Amino acid sequence: MRKTMLMTVAALAAAELFAIQGTVSTAVESVSGDVKWHARDKKYIIEKGKITKEFKLADVTSLDIPKPAGFDKAVQAVENGQGASAVATLTKIVADYRMLQWDKPAGRYLTLAHLAAGNAQKAYDVCSPIVAEDKSAGYSGDLASAYWQVLLKLGKREELEKMLKKAATSGDRPASAAALVMRGDIIVAASHDSPAELKKALRDGYMRVVMMYQDADCVRERREALRKAAGCFDKMGQAARAENLRAQAKMM
């Protein structure tokens, strides 16, 4: 019993010592220190020595939080099809960095890892709390397109359509490009590999992104569009064209 109590005290002490360093900026100032998110009052608390400052979410223009340890390695694992090995790291980052910049990127790759493992409900359980706290995460930014894949997989079409409309009208170019990629996904999902439907997915989704979104901010969306367009050409028996698109995607 005594040993268990000592281990518990040690764990609590370690938790107290854990702090996320960063900078919170508003229109009039930038403050650096230990940054915490206060969910109930929707505000950031910054502590530096004996000085504590508070900033309401609405007043914050940007956060600058160093990349969490293990993030890049976890992302690489997911991209290499080894997402199971990254789940623990990404889960911790999502929890520790809630509303502290890295929860959405980590949430994206954790969601993709669960989807790759066939766990759509687990993927939804990752996304939904983040979107509930930050509505914009459902239609723009790192998490959005992964969240849409979850909604499509779970048949939540009404919510998906709402998010896609918001993305298209948000004025955010990457969000708009991602919405077109998802339009292609929706058509393909219902296509039964019909050549006419696959061509529609290319015309109304993937190739529109390839042609119209060549700016630097949309590289990720354009790469995804190229890969998914290649999949359509494979299904239509146009292997040479598919390989050409994959080669373009690898060069980006």
Side-chain angles (χ1 to χ4, degrees):
M1 176 66 75
R2 179 177 173 78
K3 184 179 180 181
T4 302
M5 289 178 65
L6 288 173
M7 290 175 64
T8 302
V9 170
L12 289 171
E16 287 297 319
L17 290 173
F18 178 77
I20 296 174
Q21 295 283 318
T23 301
V24 177
S25 298
T26 68
V28 296
E29 64 178 326
S30 293
V31 180
S32 299
D34 294 343
V35 185
K36 299 177 182 176
W37 167 247
H38 197 280
R40 187 185 65 186
D41 297 329
K42 296 192 181 299
K43 65 182 180 183
Y44 292 99
I45 300 173
I46 302 93
E47 298 177 351
K48 189 171 186 179
K50 295 182 179 180
I51 299 174
T52 298
K53 300 200 72 171
E54 298 181 358
F55 296 99
K56 293 180 180 178
L57 175 61
D59 296 331
V60 174
T61 56
S62 68
L63 291 171
D64 184 9
I65 309 293
K67 187 182 296 183
F71 176 79
D72 286 340
K73 184 178 179 180
V75 168
Q76 194 63 50
V78 175
E79 291 183 340
N80 289 342
Q82 300 169 339
S85 67
V87 167
T89 297
L90 292 171
T91 299
K92 188 175 189 320
I93 293 172
V94 169
D96 290 346
Y97 287 77
R98 182 59 51 86
M99 291 297 285
L100 292 175
Q101 186 175 338
W102 293 96
D103 59 338
K104 279 81 170 180
R108 171 184 178 80
Y109 289 99
L110 181 55
T111 296
L112 294 177
H114 285 315
L115 283 175
N119 295 322
Q121 187 57 52
K122 282 188 178 180
Y124 182 75
D125 292 342
V126 171
C127 297
S128 54
I130 299 175
V131 174
E133 194 159 37
D134 181 1
K135 303 297 184 188
S136 67
Y139 58 86
S140 67
D142 290 290
L143 184 68
S145 61
Y147 179 51
W148 301 342
Q149 290 182 45
V150 175
L151 295 178
L152 179 62
K153 193 74 174 176
L154 294 177
K156 296 180 180 290
R157 292 295 295 270
E158 185 176 345
E159 179 67 10
L160 175 57
E161 286 297 335
K162 184 170 74 173
M163 293 298 106
L164 292 180
K165 286 177 182 176
K166 285 188 175 182
T169 58
S170 66
D172 182 316
R173 293 260 310 159
S176 180
L180 284 172
V181 173
M182 178 50 62
R183 289 292 180 198
D185 290 351
I186 291 171
I187 295 168
V188 169
S191 71
H192 301 293
D193 292 344
S194 158
E197 289 300 299
L198 293 173
K199 288 177 182 177
K200 183 179 178 182
L202 289 165
R203 182 185 67 246
D204 296 347
Y206 308 139
M207 294 310 295
R208 183 174 294 190
V209 174
V210 172
M211 300 301 295
M212 295 175 59
Y213 291 84
Q214 300 190 19
D215 35 315
D217 289 344
C218 299
V219 169
R220 182 172 69 193
E221 290 74 23
R222 191 161 179 265
R223 184 188 299 116
E224 186 175 3
L226 283 164
R227 290 171 176 167
K228 291 186 173 182
C232 288
F233 283 114
D234 275 335
K235 291 177 180 179
M236 293 189 295
Q238 299 183 38
R241 192 162 186 185
E243 284 307 308
N244 179 266
L245 293 178
R246 288 195 180 93
Q248 290 183 50
K250 289 178 182 178
M251 293 173 62
M252 296 178 66

